[in-house]
Amino acid sequence: GAVVSQHPSWVICKSGTSVKIECRSLDFQATTMFWYRQFPKQSLMLMATSNEGSKATYEQGVEKDKFLINHASLTLSTLTVTSAHPEDSSFYICSARDGTGGTGANVLTFGAGSRLTVL
Amino acid sequence: DAKTTQPTSMDCAEGRAANLPCNHSTISGNEYVYWYRQIHSQGPQYIIHGLKNNETNEMASLIITEDRKSSTLILPHATLRDTAVYYCIVRVLNSGNTPLVFGKGTRLSVIA
């Protein structure tokens, strides 16, 4: 089945630094990927839609200059948290759909998530 | 996408069937019912989806009422590893360029 890989699975950084999280579709191509954020004991909240070869679409309230998204290829999208602060500490999750057909075409597959802790 | 309503939490004894309900009274004719679950500190995992007929796979069964206004996810023999938050989501099939919108889900605790 479709597999989405995220890296790193966890990262700790100092306040003011930038952190890059990678999301890869391992066995399929994804023209669209989605980035979510999840705070403790809360549900997933959509941050942005990442489109291959074009600009990402951000949800209301999400700062596009702080959360930089690059979808440079059909198998890779990256989320960079710039000038991170403690309030950016969260669980970041990406997802993608295998659009090549079969059951996978109807299902969004999620990565395992990346836990960011900003000190 | 139509809104869903789920109980906040449920308990189930290990080895028993876990029945998780979901109300989706405003579901449209072209919207499917999807179930995902999220085990602690992991990404959501797809379980099953259906339109109007009951569905079964290796993980679970999905029972959808005839009027499609509600459904039940059944885990036939719950194990401790099934402890997770279960999300019921309705959306149009194959709408790959639209994201999943998550509600609060049901926190299922399987007890030994």
Side-chain angles (χ1 to χ4, degrees), chain A residues 32 36 38 43 97 105-106 108 111, chain B residues 34 36 38 94 96-97 100 103:
Chain A
T32 303
Y36 293 81
Q38 185 175 34
S43 187
R97 181 180 73 96
N106 304 320
L108 278 177
Chain B
Y34 283 78
Y36 282 75
Q38 186 179 24
N94 223 357
N97 291 334
L100 285 176

Side-chain angles (χ1 to χ4, degrees), chain A residues 31-32 34 36 38 43-44 46 91 93 97 105-108 110-112 115, chain B residues 34 36 38 41-44 46 49 87 93-94 96-100 102-103:
Chain A
T31 56
T32 303
F34 305 101
Y36 293 81
Q38 185 175 34
S43 187
L44 285 80
L46 179 68
F91 193 49
I93 309 167
R97 181 180 73 96
N106 304 320
V107 172
L108 278 177
F110 288 79
R115 185 164 301 283
Chain B
Y34 283 78
Y36 282 75
Q38 186 179 24
S41 293
Q42 296 183 24
Y46 165 78
H49 73 282
Y87 296 98
L93 185 71
N94 223 357
N97 291 334
T98 58
L100 285 176
F102 289 83

Side-chain angles (χ1 to χ4, degrees), chain A residues 71-91:
Chain A
H71 195 151
S73 77
L74 288 171
T75 59
L76 174 64
S77 174
T78 60
L79 168 68
T80 301
V81 183
T82 62
S83 186
H85 291 284
E87 56 266 30
D88 299 322
S89 298
S90 189
F91 193 49

Side-chain angles (χ1 to χ4, degrees), chain B residues 1-6 22-26 33-34 87-90 101-105:
Chain B
D1 295 334
K3 184 178 177 181
T4 62
T5 304
Q6 300 177 249
C22 179
N23 287 321
H24 32 79
S25 59
T26 61
V33 181
Y34 283 78
Y87 296 98
C88 169
I89 302 167
V90 295
V101 178
F102 289 83
K104 296 182 179 180

Side-chain angles (χ1 to χ4, degrees), chain A residues 16-28:
Chain A
T17 61
S18 295
V19 174
K20 179 185 287 188
I21 299 170
E22 293 186 348
C23 178
R24 295 182 183 273
S25 54
L26 293 188
D27 48 2
F28 65 98

Side-chain angles (χ1 to χ4, degrees), chain B residues 13-68:
Chain B
E14 186 179 20
R16 304 296 295 270
N19 298 291
L20 293 93
C22 179
N23 287 321
H24 32 79
S25 59
T26 61
I27 191 170
S28 300
N30 63 344
E31 287 182 317
Y32 282 63
V33 181
Y34 283 78
W35 283 85
Y36 282 75
R37 73 180 182 182
Q38 186 179 24
I39 295 171
H40 183 63
S41 293
Q42 296 183 24
Q45 175 190 23
Y46 165 78
I47 301 173
I48 199 167
H49 73 282
L51 180 64
K52 55 182 179 181
N53 297 321
N54 298 337
E55 302 287 345
T56 296
N57 63 21
E58 65 279 3
M59 290 184 67
S61 294
L62 174 60
I63 308 298
I64 302 174
T65 57
E66 191 170 345
D67 63 7
R68 304 210 320 124

Side-chain angles (χ1 to χ4, degrees), chain A residues 4-22:
Chain A
V4 174
S5 174
Q6 270 187 254
H7 178 81
S9 57
W10 59 269
V11 57
I12 301 173
C13 71
K14 293 182 179 180
S15 185
T17 61
S18 295
V19 174
K20 179 185 287 188
I21 299 170
E22 293 186 348

